[in-house]
Amino acid sequence: MCNPLKCITFAAMTIELNDALLSGEEQTLSMLADEGQLTCITGGTAERRTRWLHVLMGFESPVSGIVSIDGEPLVGGCIAHLRKHIAFAPASLQTVGDLVPYEPPTVQDILSLHANKSLGVTEDDIMEECRNIGDTEQKGLLLAVAVLRRKPVLLVDSPLASSASYLQQQARKEGRNVIVATDDGRIIGLADNVVELTGVHSS
């Protein structure tokens, strides 16, 4: 059981997978993602890559291996505390675990969601961030809101290739730990770490 006091603040926000294995998979996955770095999870199908992002948020647990944050295993009360430090930009508008779906995807609807009411940002803030990203459509909106949460960990599922340099900037200049699930060569080419899924789904 993790010490709650050690879970409240993650200074370095180093995320590690050590021989983690998911149900239905044949191969384990190991990776080390640190602050100030852009890490890409690639290979396999989009669904498989997304599952690993869900693991990092505690929505799915490996059947073996370890997921740790700054050396603390991601179990029990640590999961809830970790989510306070994570911003997630999903690939599309959907409900994942206890996340509220962004639907319909208008700026006002996003701002009116309970989870976003305390953000202290305006529609102009979101649209300005979308312009920085280079996309004012759905993926741009979702990424902009995630970035404006100002969390140390940013998880991004299947971003557009045009956001590659923006994601790199979020890691290197803003100091975030940015973890992206993608098969896009442009984003992978800018990554500090590339983790490739191997093997096949056993079912």
Side-chain angles (χ1 to χ4, degrees):
M1 183 71 178
C2 124
N3 181 346
L5 293 178
K6 297 185 73 174
C7 293
I8 293 175
T9 302
F10 296 99
M13 295 307 294
T14 297
I15 299 177
E16 185 174 6
L17 295 176
N18 189 358
D19 290 329
L21 179 67
L22 295 184
S23 174
E25 296 287 328
E26 295 179 342
Q27 300 292 323
T28 61
L29 186 67
S30 296
M31 75 172 214
L32 182 66
D34 212 342
E35 62 177 334
Q37 295 184 344
L38 172 61
T39 299
C40 286
I41 299 175
T42 188
T45 63
E47 180 182 7
R48 289 180 66 199
R49 294 191 295 270
T50 299
R51 284 185 75 191
W52 285 106
L53 293 184
H54 293 175
V55 168
L56 298 179
M57 291 186 288
F59 292 138
E60 182 173 356
S61 299
V63 294
S64 64
I66 298 173
V67 182
S68 64
I69 309 297
D70 292 344
E72 289 287 337
L74 186 59
V75 295
C78 280
I79 294 175
H81 287 298
L82 172 65
R83 287 185 191 151
K84 295 179 181 179
H85 299 275
I86 286 181
F88 176 49
S92 59
L93 307 180
Q94 59 184 340
T95 302
V96 179
D98 56 7
L99 294 181
V100 178
Y102 291 106
E103 187 176 12
T106 67
V107 174
Q108 286 305 316
D109 287 320
I110 289 174
L111 287 176
S112 69
L113 290 175
H114 176 74
N116 295 334
K117 285 183 178 178
S118 62
L119 277 180
V121 300
T122 65
E123 181 173 344
D124 288 341
D125 294 328
I126 294 177
M127 296 314 296
E128 180 180 354
E129 205 63 42
C130 283
R131 287 190 289 272
N132 293 335
I133 293 167
D135 176 33
T136 58
E137 301 301 321
Q138 177 174 292
K139 282 185 182 264
L141 282 173
L142 295 172
L143 180 54
V145 171
V147 168
L148 289 170
R149 288 181 182 280
R150 306 298 180 197
K151 303 297 184 179
V153 177
L154 176 64
L155 305 182
V156 188
D157 194 0
S158 303
L160 295 174
S162 58
S163 64
S165 60
Y166 176 85
L167 291 168
Q168 182 187 50
Q169 178 182 4
Q170 290 302 309
R172 296 186 182 175
K173 293 186 178 180
E174 301 296 331
R176 288 184 170 93
N177 184 341
V178 181
I179 303 175
V180 178
T182 183
D183 63 353
D184 184 86
R186 183 174 170 185
I187 299 175
I188 293 169
L190 294 179
D192 300 289
N193 305 303
V194 177
V195 182
E196 186 163 1
L197 303 180
T198 59
V200 296
H201 195 281
S202 62
S203 63

